[in-house]
Amino acid sequence: MPKSQKLHVKVGDVVTVISGFHKNETGEITKIDRKTGKIVVKGINFKFKHIKPKTENEIGEIKQLEAPIHHSNVKLNLTERS
């Protein structure tokens, strides 16, 4: 069983992404997974999920979800403390 990681951020903190496609973008942390060390930041790293219809009279849809990023790819934004 993997140990939970000690993270430098918590839910509600405003962070800046320091690497990857969304570099230099800021957002607020909405969810943390301590086992994997990943966080979900509001408005960053959107992915599309295609949902099939479950019955014949339903229609399929495309949902836009925020995917998690690793906590080492963000830094705490001290100027915008919430």
Side-chain angles (χ1 to χ4, degrees):
M1 194 152 103
K3 293 175 102 176
S4 63
Q5 297 182 7
K6 184 176 188 306
L7 305 178
H8 66 285
V9 291
K10 61 183 186 226
V11 174
D13 284 347
V14 177
V15 294
T16 304
V17 180
I18 58 173
S19 67
F21 185 75
H22 297 282
K23 187 174 182 176
N24 296 327
E25 293 184 21
T26 60
E28 183 180 342
I29 296 178
T30 57
K31 194 190 306 185
I32 293 178
D33 185 6
R34 292 192 183 276
K35 286 188 178 178
T36 61
K38 297 200 175 207
I39 59 173
V40 175
V41 183
K42 183 189 272 186
I44 293 178
N45 200 23
F46 282 110
K47 300 294 180 198
F48 293 97
K49 175 126 177 121
H50 296 263
I51 312 248
K52 282 180 137 180
K54 293 189 181 357
T55 61
E56 281 193 28
N57 56 357
E58 272 186 25
I59 57 169
E61 60 181 315
I62 301 173
K63 283 194 173 179
Q64 194 174 12
L65 304 171
E66 292 166 336
I69 58 175
H70 199 262
H71 71 93
S72 66
N73 293 335
V74 298
K75 71 174 181 180
L76 190 59
N77 200 349
L78 297 175
T79 57
E80 297 180 24
R81 199 80 185 203
S82 57

